[in-house]
Amino acid sequence: MKAQAASAEISPLSREEEQAEIIRRLEEDIIFGRFAPGSRLVEDTLMSRYGASRHFVRQGLFQLERQGIVLREKNVGATVRFYSADEVRQIYEVREMLTRQAALMIPLPAPADLIEQLTELQLHYCAKADAQDLRGIHEANDAFHVALFSACGNPYLVRSLQDYMNLTLPMRAKNLADQEGLAQSRRQHELLIELLRGRDSWAFAQLCVDHMQYSKADYLARIAGDEKRN
């Protein structure tokens, strides 16, 4: 019985699970800055790093290319997607417009069940932050925002917001590993929940927009520093 239990514990991953794991690890390495913007993603190096086949690595790169995180070019190969300062500002302009519109569509005072759901998600987010679980922080943060904006009642708007959340992932996720940025994010989440209890939709919407400015400013500062060094 013990041998059977041990065998069950170490059962190999299915092909789908193995593929998902490669994508997860590659995405983490990119969004948390282990692979810098513009750096080449050499298949042989990734195969060695993740102990994966070329097929799985290549499929992972294709998946992240669809998400806008990886760029594939002829005669160059795959690289971590680099956004110029102008591109960052333009992307955030769209995300800010979508965010403000969704926030203004959320009826205030918000329903008690939404407040309860967001409070529970915030507790989970804080627990991941205290444990310094970077992946958990990222996933809990996105879960908080998706739940929040889903209250706008327009699933197409929410889907567009999620697309731009994914597009800005390399720009914003690194800040979740930054203590100052993480502390500010936690405080602003608490303020958002508090504003949901009131009636000032404009103040709530403005905080939703302000909430993303730290990561934008940090990414712009980082690429400006890289340009000076180069």
Side-chain angles (χ1 to χ4, degrees), residues 84-104:
S84 69
D86 284 343
E87 288 175 319
V88 172
R89 294 188 184 97
Q90 290 165 357
I91 289 168
Y92 268 90
E93 281 176 1
V94 178
R95 188 177 172 210
E96 288 163 15
M97 286 189 289
L98 294 171
T99 295
R100 190 182 299 277
Q101 183 60 35
L104 289 172

Side-chain angles (χ1 to χ4, degrees), residues 82-86 220-230:
F82 173 84
Y83 292 97
S84 69
D86 284 343
L220 288 170
R222 279 190 278 133
I223 62 176
D226 290 342
E227 289 173 355
K228 286 181 180 179
R229 285 190 291 271
N230 294 333

Side-chain angles (χ1 to χ4, degrees), residues 68-194:
I69 296 174
V70 167
L71 180 65
R72 297 175 67 89
E73 297 178 284
K74 188 176 181 180
N75 300 325
V76 176
T79 58
V80 177
R81 182 70 183 266
F82 173 84
Y83 292 97
S84 69
D86 284 343
E87 288 175 319
V88 172
R89 294 188 184 97
Q90 290 165 357
I91 289 168
Y92 268 90
E93 281 176 1
V94 178
R95 188 177 172 210
E96 288 163 15
M97 286 189 289
L98 294 171
T99 295
R100 190 182 299 277
Q101 183 60 35
L104 289 172
M105 291 171 64
I106 297 173
L108 298 184
D113 58 345
L114 176 61
I115 300 291
E116 182 180 354
Q117 180 188 15
L118 291 173
T119 299
E120 290 178 0
L121 288 169
Q122 175 67 357
L123 288 172
H124 181 63
Y125 178 51
C126 291
K128 294 297 182 181
D130 291 339
Q132 298 182 335
D133 177 355
L134 295 182
R135 184 74 191 190
I137 293 169
H138 154 59
E139 291 176 347
N141 180 64
D142 279 8
F144 179 93
H145 288 285
V146 170
L148 173 63
F149 293 120
S150 292
C152 78
N154 185 329
Y156 301 100
L157 177 54
V158 175
R159 178 57 186 269
S160 296
L161 267 170
Q162 287 180 281
D163 288 342
Y164 273 86
M165 286 170 63
N166 289 334
L167 192 59
T168 58
L169 194 52
M171 307 171 201
R172 61 188 175 86
K174 190 173 185 295
N175 290 285
L176 299 177
D178 173 77
Q179 290 304 309
E180 181 182 355
L182 184 57
Q184 178 172 301
S185 175
R186 292 172 65 162
R187 289 193 301 270
Q188 289 181 332
H189 281 193
E190 298 289 352
L191 286 171
L192 287 170
I193 293 172
E194 189 60 33

